[in-house]
Amino acid sequence: GMSSINVDCVVKAHSGLGGPVWQETDATLLYVDIYGPSISRCNCLTKEKESMSTETYVGCVVPRSSGGYVIGEGTRFAAVDWEKRSVTTITHVDTEKSNTRFNDGKVDPAGRFSAAVRNCLFSKMLNWWTSLKVSTRPSAAFHSLLLCSGTMAVGMCASERERKRGSLYALQPDHSVVKHLDQVDLSNGLDWSPDHHIFYTDSLKYMVEAFDYDLQTGGISNRRMVYGFEEDEGLPDGMCTNMDSKLWVACYNGGRVIRIDPQTGTRLQTVQLRVAKITTCCFGGKDYSRAFDLYITSATKGMDEEALAKQPEAGSIFKVDTVSHTYLCHTELPTAMSSIKVECVVKAHNEIGEGPVWEEKDATLLYVDIYGPIISRWNSLTKETESMSTETYVGCVVPRSSGGYVIGEGTRFAAVDWEKRSITTITHVDTEKSNTRFNDGKVDPAGRFFAGTMAVEVRPTELERKRGSLYALQPDHSVVKHLDQVDLSNGLDWSPDHHIFYYIDSLKYMVEAFDYDLQTGGISNRRMVYRLKEDEGIPDGMCIDAEGKLWVACYNGGRVICIDPQTGTRLQTVQLPVAKITSCCFGGKNYSDLYITSATKGMDEEALAKQPEAGSIFKLTYMTESLVALAIFRCSVSYRPFWRRIVVLAAELRKRMVDIRRTWDASSSSGWMAQLPLPLLNVPLWNLAIPGSHDSMAYCLDIHSPVLHSQPKILRVLDHIVPCFIRPCVNKWGTTQELIISSQLESGIRFLDLRIAHKPKDSDQSLYFAHGIYSLVTVKVALTEVARWLEQHSTEVVIIALSAFDDMTPVQHNNLIDFLKRLFEKKLCPKSVSSRLLSQEIPSLKTCWLRGYQVVMSYADPAGSGHEELWPVWDYWWGNESDPNLVISYLQHQKETVGRPVGFFMAGLNLTEDVRYVLHHPGQSMKSMTVRAYGLLLDWLKQQRPGAQKTSLNIICADFVGISGNEFTRVVVALNTQLLKQDVFSG
């Protein structure tokens, strides 16, 4: 997954090589042969190699600025004078042990963070390594310039070494030594991130770990796992980092180097080598700022003649060349990708192609040609394009759920019936102005259609200034004007958390941000987040990815740029073969493609001849994780046929550092399953304490939707008579959560209670969630959001209960089940696992990790019974009381009299209102009722225990799970510590 890979054998040898370090001053690669024992230098220009022997095993070597080197040899730190071929002891370690030796080592970043470790950003390698002699610099100024190196027991092979004999040391500038770790098996790779975390491998733990790092003192703390090795990857050995904090880890006996993201714990790439025993790696090469070479060492130790004959290059050094859009350290960092492919997918000559929107249902790209004026749909499967004309300039188009579209055309919002090729006016804007038109537009996360106007151009970008405005079409067809005095209203989008609105007024040559109120649609606190440079062109349309990064089309700049709105920096530039880039959106399978529109307006014949693809649509394909934005359309009674979501997936990618220390911290919730103490990884999931949310999707109820058919008849009658009273009341008491579904998962919730319904009079086949009334968000959108979250949290398992299924037909059941299987695929844990006899087949975390299971799903309808992936309905202990004391009494009775069921079951801490309670408390809501009872319910919860006993609990559900600092989730997760004292390893 990169633009180009070329693997060369640059040093032909048959040794046990390690510790490579690049010396830029003379383009030399420095390395050791541990068992040679020798230190070597290979000049990559002359290809000449020179070596010197050491007295005993030499594990690592680093240059020093005054000349010569410092090595970890045997159990001593020593200074090397290369010219004299002499080695002088600095100090010894492991004096209380025998038969140990140094292994890998590296110098910490000290005060030179950007230049010292990252290889490229501010200075050259000449300034990297600090002299270890106190006399060269005042020690007070360089207190934390350290050489870190680890020791290990000497043995025939990794598995034969005496365990827990190693340590991790740091040599200080004053030549004193600090021991950071003891009881180490095989101390190996280490490096530092740009934000001062240290990454470390103790190889026989088969994982990469991280520590917080105090740059002032050199102290390490908060140990946690960031990546667990799979069986086929071999043994983690040496490693290095690049500028975007990705780790490159050598895999001993795995024949590869892997690139991992320590924030998400995912493997991003594998580079296969021609030999098995890969030992370590480092970056080097001619120009650190533009392209890199990754130098990789290997070994022969333990190989017999037959193995050496099969791998004649074993023990050599390899160079991996990277070309073009490199994933390595780069002045413009790649964002969530490892390779780019650009292709022209719609060959056209649009005057101004604009407003691309992906329609997942038909795998279709929707877009406009403003001056055509036409609306077009390109089918990515058949490659066919169909179009319809509009009456005048059409600036933007969005789909609607009942079919057809809504456009910003001229100065009107209008509804489009695609089948009839008809356009019907909804409302007009800019009625007090002449010669203006709509330009770019998009729907906000709550369903408001934002679109801006501008003066009609004399020539491209030449227009009367300050004539435009920014409008929002509301669900009731009213219009709100948010901005006036706009030059050229253009790109717009919202942050993943819906709190920020990004906007472009093109002739200001900047991207701006506003605070955004999702409830009211109001914008405030205008500020600039990025100013375009002269060569970048004019900012036009834009879209946002799941990490909150903005992708901006650059008109007359021939590129799309990715910017970080938090830091105001450009992360990446993608050049296109045409100059007039107009807009972009994400689409395609898994939303890993970026579709880009372009224009021809104002180009003469000569320019068109030079850019024959001008006016076409291009697709950028990213070969690793997709970048996706979110917009969910709002439905109202009067407006229900009008709105539909434009992009299917919402993802909140959060940084996660996994910790499976035995001293477990239950306060960290986003990855708590991976943080459980090791003995609990074999516990059946139904014996763990698992936090769940009751009516998980009842945070997005549609106040304009009718009451469900399953509700009491009197309520339905009243809803028909006085909907303006009944629906707000049902919404107030039916809303049981505040966090969106991905935020619930991020907070540690691992059980989702999803109640599904179809709107009986809705011609669309979309399914919604329901609790008294219907939700705004569709089932497809929400579950896709869950799937994306799971992709980023590979060690977490989510239990999902699907139920209710109001007004669903057998066909809709079949379609839903097919969708579930396609969406989660092999992540679905089959129900047959629970009936297998072998303990390792019980659905424990370990079993799930080994088999790739991340979803355990029940389906409370006979339609699911014939599907191996869908479990039967589980018991839910529901008190059905508004008094928390009665809820607790009910749960106590169930525990002591009935006892826990076999397998999964839920205990609900949720309260239930009744008509009498609502009438007696007209000013309250479900939230106020819950908050008042929260303390009492949590006090009872803290006294409970999970496990296999009759009175044990499994899944505990609550309303408003994120309140009180996420205390509910933390209390439930902490209950699992009691399992360490129980026998809970049987089903």
Side-chain angles (χ1 to χ4, degrees), residues 406-427:
V406 177
I407 57 175
E409 179 207 23
T411 56
R412 69 171 175 168
F413 287 108
V416 175
D417 187 318
W418 186 264
E419 302 305 322
K420 296 180 180 179
R421 296 298 197 271
S422 64
I423 301 175
T424 307
T425 298
I426 296 171
T427 189

PDB file of all heavy atoms in Angstrom, residues 406-427:
ATOM      1  N   VAL A 406     -33.486  18.043  -3.964  1.00  0.00           N
ATOM      2  CA  VAL A 406     -33.713  19.457  -3.724  1.00  0.00           C
ATOM      3  C   VAL A 406     -32.495  20.203  -4.242  1.00  0.00           C
ATOM      4  O   VAL A 406     -31.356  19.766  -4.041  1.00  0.00           O
ATOM      5  CB  VAL A 406     -33.936  19.749  -2.237  1.00  0.00           C
ATOM      6  CG1 VAL A 406     -34.096  21.237  -2.003  1.00  0.00           C
ATOM      7  CG2 VAL A 406     -35.166  19.016  -1.750  1.00  0.00           C
ATOM      8  N   ILE A 407     -32.724  21.299  -4.938  1.00  0.00           N
ATOM      9  CA  ILE A 407     -31.628  22.040  -5.558  1.00  0.00           C
ATOM     10  C   ILE A 407     -31.653  23.496  -5.111  1.00  0.00           C
ATOM     11  O   ILE A 407     -32.680  24.027  -4.679  1.00  0.00           O
ATOM     12  CB  ILE A 407     -31.686  21.973  -7.100  1.00  0.00           C
ATOM     13  CG1 ILE A 407     -33.029  22.512  -7.627  1.00  0.00           C
ATOM     14  CG2 ILE A 407     -31.451  20.549  -7.584  1.00  0.00           C
ATOM     15  CD1 ILE A 407     -33.106  22.587  -9.150  1.00  0.00           C
ATOM     16  N   GLY A 408     -30.497  24.138  -5.225  1.00  0.00           N
ATOM     17  CA  GLY A 408     -30.391  25.581  -5.164  1.00  0.00           C
ATOM     18  C   GLY A 408     -30.199  26.053  -6.590  1.00  0.00           C
ATOM     19  O   GLY A 408     -29.114  25.899  -7.152  1.00  0.00           O
ATOM     20  N   GLU A 409     -31.252  26.605  -7.205  1.00  0.00           N
ATOM     21  CA  GLU A 409     -31.228  26.967  -8.619  1.00  0.00           C
ATOM     22  C   GLU A 409     -31.591  28.433  -8.763  1.00  0.00           C
ATOM     23  O   GLU A 409     -32.631  28.873  -8.249  1.00  0.00           O
ATOM     24  CB  GLU A 409     -32.223  26.107  -9.397  1.00  0.00           C
ATOM     25  CG  GLU A 409     -32.277  26.436 -10.888  1.00  0.00           C
ATOM     26  CD  GLU A 409     -33.627  26.108 -11.504  1.00  0.00           C
ATOM     27  OE1 GLU A 409     -34.627  26.043 -10.753  1.00  0.00           O
ATOM     28  OE2 GLU A 409     -33.676  25.937 -12.730  1.00  0.00           O
ATOM     29  N   GLY A 410     -30.774  29.187  -9.462  1.00  0.00           N
ATOM     30  CA  GLY A 410     -31.021  30.622  -9.541  1.00  0.00           C
ATOM     31  C   GLY A 410     -31.024  31.196  -8.149  1.00  0.00           C
ATOM     32  O   GLY A 410     -30.023  31.107  -7.424  1.00  0.00           O
ATOM     33  N   THR A 411     -32.168  31.751  -7.751  1.00  0.00           N
ATOM     34  CA  THR A 411     -32.313  32.232  -6.369  1.00  0.00           C
ATOM     35  C   THR A 411     -33.472  31.529  -5.673  1.00  0.00           C
ATOM     36  O   THR A 411     -34.133  32.101  -4.805  1.00  0.00           O
ATOM     37  CB  THR A 411     -32.543  33.763  -6.350  1.00  0.00           C
ATOM     38  OG1 THR A 411     -33.697  34.068  -7.158  1.00  0.00           O
ATOM     39  CG2 THR A 411     -31.317  34.498  -6.857  1.00  0.00           C
ATOM     40  N   ARG A 412     -33.725  30.282  -6.047  1.00  0.00           N
ATOM     41  CA  ARG A 412     -34.798  29.539  -5.394  1.00  0.00           C
ATOM     42  C   ARG A 412     -34.320  28.182  -4.906  1.00  0.00           C
ATOM     43  O   ARG A 412     -33.418  27.581  -5.484  1.00  0.00           O
ATOM     44  CB  ARG A 412     -35.982  29.345  -6.344  1.00  0.00           C
ATOM     45  CG  ARG A 412     -35.713  28.401  -7.522  1.00  0.00           C
ATOM     46  CD  ARG A 412     -36.981  28.077  -8.302  1.00  0.00           C
ATOM     47  NE  ARG A 412     -36.687  27.278  -9.490  1.00  0.00           N
ATOM     48  CZ  ARG A 412     -37.611  26.667 -10.231  1.00  0.00           C
ATOM     49  NH1 ARG A 412     -38.893  26.770  -9.902  1.00  0.00           N
ATOM     50  NH2 ARG A 412     -37.268  25.972 -11.301  1.00  0.00           N
ATOM     51  N   PHE A 413     -34.893  27.737  -3.790  1.00  0.00           N
ATOM     52  CA  PHE A 413     -34.825  26.340  -3.412  1.00  0.00           C
ATOM     53  C   PHE A 413     -35.968  25.640  -4.136  1.00  0.00           C
ATOM     54  O   PHE A 413     -37.120  26.119  -4.113  1.00  0.00           O
ATOM     55  CB  PHE A 413     -35.000  26.163  -1.899  1.00  0.00           C
ATOM     56  CG  PHE A 413     -33.816  26.581  -1.080  1.00  0.00           C
ATOM     57  CD1 PHE A 413     -33.848  27.746  -0.307  1.00  0.00           C
ATOM     58  CD2 PHE A 413     -32.659  25.808  -1.068  1.00  0.00           C
ATOM     59  CE1 PHE A 413     -32.756  28.113   0.460  1.00  0.00           C
ATOM     60  CE2 PHE A 413     -31.560  26.176  -0.298  1.00  0.00           C
ATOM     61  CZ  PHE A 413     -31.614  27.330   0.460  1.00  0.00           C
ATOM     62  N   ALA A 414     -35.676  24.488  -4.751  1.00  0.00           N
ATOM     63  CA  ALA A 414     -36.708  23.818  -5.539  1.00  0.00           C
ATOM     64  C   ALA A 414     -36.597  22.311  -5.386  1.00  0.00           C
ATOM     65  O   ALA A 414     -35.514  21.765  -5.163  1.00  0.00           O
ATOM     66  CB  ALA A 414     -36.591  24.205  -7.009  1.00  0.00           C
ATOM     67  N   ALA A 415     -37.755  21.626  -5.502  1.00  0.00           N
ATOM     68  CA  ALA A 415     -37.818  20.168  -5.434  1.00  0.00           C
ATOM     69  C   ALA A 415     -37.779  19.595  -6.852  1.00  0.00           C
ATOM     70  O   ALA A 415     -38.456  20.096  -7.753  1.00  0.00           O
ATOM     71  CB  ALA A 415     -39.093  19.733  -4.732  1.00  0.00           C
ATOM     72  N   VAL A 416     -36.999  18.517  -7.020  1.00  0.00           N
ATOM     73  CA  VAL A 416     -36.836  17.890  -8.328  1.00  0.00           C
ATOM     74  C   VAL A 416     -37.456  16.500  -8.303  1.00  0.00           C
ATOM     75  O   VAL A 416     -37.120  15.680  -7.442  1.00  0.00           O
ATOM     76  CB  VAL A 416     -35.347  17.783  -8.708  1.00  0.00           C
ATOM     77  CG1 VAL A 416     -35.181  17.009 -10.015  1.00  0.00           C
ATOM     78  CG2 VAL A 416     -34.714  19.159  -8.813  1.00  0.00           C
ATOM     79  N   ASP A 417     -38.358  16.232  -9.231  1.00  0.00           N
ATOM     80  CA  ASP A 417     -38.873  14.886  -9.467  1.00  0.00           C
ATOM     81  C   ASP A 417     -38.087  14.325 -10.640  1.00  0.00           C
ATOM     82  O   ASP A 417     -38.296  14.711 -11.792  1.00  0.00           O
ATOM     83  CB  ASP A 417     -40.360  14.932  -9.782  1.00  0.00           C
ATOM     84  CG  ASP A 417     -40.980  13.531  -9.877  1.00  0.00           C
ATOM     85  OD1 ASP A 417     -40.332  12.637 -10.484  1.00  0.00           O
ATOM     86  OD2 ASP A 417     -42.085  13.349  -9.357  1.00  0.00           O
ATOM     87  N   TRP A 418     -37.162  13.421 -10.335  1.00  0.00           N
ATOM     88  CA  TRP A 418     -36.241  12.930 -11.369  1.00  0.00           C
ATOM     89  C   TRP A 418     -36.974  12.133 -12.445  1.00  0.00           C
ATOM     90  O   TRP A 418     -36.666  12.254 -13.630  1.00  0.00           O
ATOM     91  CB  TRP A 418     -35.148  12.080 -10.725  1.00  0.00           C
ATOM     92  CG  TRP A 418     -34.076  11.662 -11.691  1.00  0.00           C
ATOM     93  CD1 TRP A 418     -33.981  10.493 -12.370  1.00  0.00           C
ATOM     94  CD2 TRP A 418     -32.959  12.449 -12.090  1.00  0.00           C
ATOM     95  NE1 TRP A 418     -32.864  10.487 -13.165  1.00  0.00           N
ATOM     96  CE2 TRP A 418     -32.215  11.672 -13.018  1.00  0.00           C
ATOM     97  CE3 TRP A 418     -32.501  13.729 -11.763  1.00  0.00           C
ATOM     98  CZ2 TRP A 418     -31.041  12.144 -13.611  1.00  0.00           C
ATOM     99  CZ3 TRP A 418     -31.336  14.186 -12.351  1.00  0.00           C
ATOM    100  CH2 TRP A 418     -30.623  13.410 -13.261  1.00  0.00           C
ATOM    101  N   GLU A 419     -37.936  11.333 -12.042  1.00  0.00           N
ATOM    102  CA  GLU A 419     -38.652  10.505 -13.013  1.00  0.00           C
ATOM    103  C   GLU A 419     -39.449  11.359 -13.983  1.00  0.00           C
ATOM    104  O   GLU A 419     -39.486  11.085 -15.191  1.00  0.00           O
ATOM    105  CB  GLU A 419     -39.567   9.521 -12.282  1.00  0.00           C
ATOM    106  CG  GLU A 419     -38.840   8.592 -11.310  1.00  0.00           C
ATOM    107  CD  GLU A 419     -37.714   7.822 -11.970  1.00  0.00           C
ATOM    108  OE1 GLU A 419     -37.882   7.405 -13.136  1.00  0.00           O
ATOM    109  OE2 GLU A 419     -36.659   7.645 -11.323  1.00  0.00           O
ATOM    110  N   LYS A 420     -40.113  12.393 -13.476  1.00  0.00           N
ATOM    111  CA  LYS A 420     -40.944  13.255 -14.335  1.00  0.00           C
ATOM    112  C   LYS A 420     -40.144  14.391 -14.958  1.00  0.00           C
ATOM    113  O   LYS A 420     -40.686  15.133 -15.789  1.00  0.00           O
ATOM    114  CB  LYS A 420     -42.096  13.832 -13.515  1.00  0.00           C
ATOM    115  CG  LYS A 420     -43.070  12.781 -12.991  1.00  0.00           C
ATOM    116  CD  LYS A 420     -44.182  13.440 -12.180  1.00  0.00           C
ATOM    117  CE  LYS A 420     -45.160  12.410 -11.650  1.00  0.00           C
ATOM    118  NZ  LYS A 420     -46.247  13.043 -10.842  1.00  0.00           N
ATOM    119  N   ARG A 421     -38.880  14.520 -14.522  1.00  0.00           N
ATOM    120  CA  ARG A 421     -38.031  15.624 -14.994  1.00  0.00           C
ATOM    121  C   ARG A 421     -38.717  16.976 -14.745  1.00  0.00           C
ATOM    122  O   ARG A 421     -38.678  17.884 -15.587  1.00  0.00           O
ATOM    123  CB  ARG A 421     -37.700  15.474 -16.480  1.00  0.00           C
ATOM    124  CG  ARG A 421     -36.869  14.235 -16.841  1.00  0.00           C
ATOM    125  CD  ARG A 421     -35.498  14.279 -16.146  1.00  0.00           C
ATOM    126  NE  ARG A 421     -34.519  13.365 -16.719  1.00  0.00           N
ATOM    127  CZ  ARG A 421     -34.335  12.102 -16.338  1.00  0.00           C
ATOM    128  NH1 ARG A 421     -35.096  11.599 -15.385  1.00  0.00           N
ATOM    129  NH2 ARG A 421     -33.397  11.357 -16.887  1.00  0.00           N
ATOM    130  N   SER A 422     -39.311  17.101 -13.559  1.00  0.00           N
ATOM    131  CA  SER A 422     -40.011  18.342 -13.221  1.00  0.00           C
ATOM    132  C   SER A 422     -39.363  19.003 -12.013  1.00  0.00           C
ATOM    133  O   SER A 422     -38.757  18.346 -11.169  1.00  0.00           O
ATOM    134  CB  SER A 422     -41.488  18.063 -12.921  1.00  0.00           C
ATOM    135  OG  SER A 422     -41.614  17.246 -11.763  1.00  0.00           O
ATOM    136  N   ILE A 423     -39.508  20.327 -11.945  1.00  0.00           N
ATOM    137  CA  ILE A 423     -38.931  21.121 -10.854  1.00  0.00           C
ATOM    138  C   ILE A 423     -40.021  22.009 -10.273  1.00  0.00           C
ATOM    139  O   ILE A 423     -40.710  22.723 -11.008  1.00  0.00           O
ATOM    140  CB  ILE A 423     -37.751  21.978 -11.348  1.00  0.00           C
ATOM    141  CG1 ILE A 423     -36.657  21.077 -11.944  1.00  0.00           C
ATOM    142  CG2 ILE A 423     -37.189  22.832 -10.223  1.00  0.00           C
ATOM    143  CD1 ILE A 423     -35.510  21.841 -12.568  1.00  0.00           C
ATOM    144  N   THR A 424     -40.176  21.979  -8.939  1.00  0.00           N
ATOM    145  CA  THR A 424     -41.212  22.741  -8.256  1.00  0.00           C
ATOM    146  C   THR A 424     -40.577  23.666  -7.229  1.00  0.00           C
ATOM    147  O   THR A 424     -39.784  23.228  -6.388  1.00  0.00           O
ATOM    148  CB  THR A 424     -42.198  21.807  -7.537  1.00  0.00           C
ATOM    149  OG1 THR A 424     -42.694  20.841  -8.469  1.00  0.00           O
ATOM    150  CG2 THR A 424     -43.351  22.588  -6.931  1.00  0.00           C
ATOM    151  N   THR A 425     -40.922  24.923  -7.282  1.00  0.00           N
ATOM    152  CA  THR A 425     -40.355  25.911  -6.358  1.00  0.00           C
ATOM    153  C   THR A 425     -40.789  25.633  -4.918  1.00  0.00           C
ATOM    154  O   THR A 425     -41.969  25.362  -4.650  1.00  0.00           O
ATOM    155  CB  THR A 425     -40.786  27.323  -6.749  1.00  0.00           C
ATOM    156  OG1 THR A 425     -40.285  27.609  -8.068  1.00  0.00           O
ATOM    157  CG2 THR A 425     -40.248  28.367  -5.770  1.00  0.00           C
ATOM    158  N   ILE A 426     -39.852  25.722  -4.016  1.00  0.00           N
ATOM    159  CA  ILE A 426     -40.160  25.659  -2.581  1.00  0.00           C
ATOM    160  C   ILE A 426     -40.227  27.073  -2.019  1.00  0.00           C
ATOM    161  O   ILE A 426     -41.210  27.471  -1.406  1.00  0.00           O
ATOM    162  CB  ILE A 426     -39.101  24.831  -1.818  1.00  0.00           C
ATOM    163  CG1 ILE A 426     -39.124  23.375  -2.290  1.00  0.00           C
ATOM    164  CG2 ILE A 426     -39.323  24.902  -0.320  1.00  0.00           C
ATOM    165  CD1 ILE A 426     -37.993  22.540  -1.753  1.00  0.00           C
ATOM    166  N   THR A 427     -39.173  27.850  -2.241  1.00  0.00           N
ATOM    167  CA  THR A 427     -39.157  29.239  -1.776  1.00  0.00           C
ATOM    168  C   THR A 427     -38.023  29.985  -2.476  1.00  0.00           C
ATOM    169  O   THR A 427     -37.091  29.360  -3.003  1.00  0.00           O
ATOM    170  CB  THR A 427     -38.991  29.312  -0.246  1.00  0.00           C
ATOM    171  OG1 THR A 427     -39.181  30.655   0.185  1.00  0.00           O
ATOM    172  CG2 THR A 427     -37.608  28.836   0.185  1.00  0.00           C
TER     173      THR A 427
END
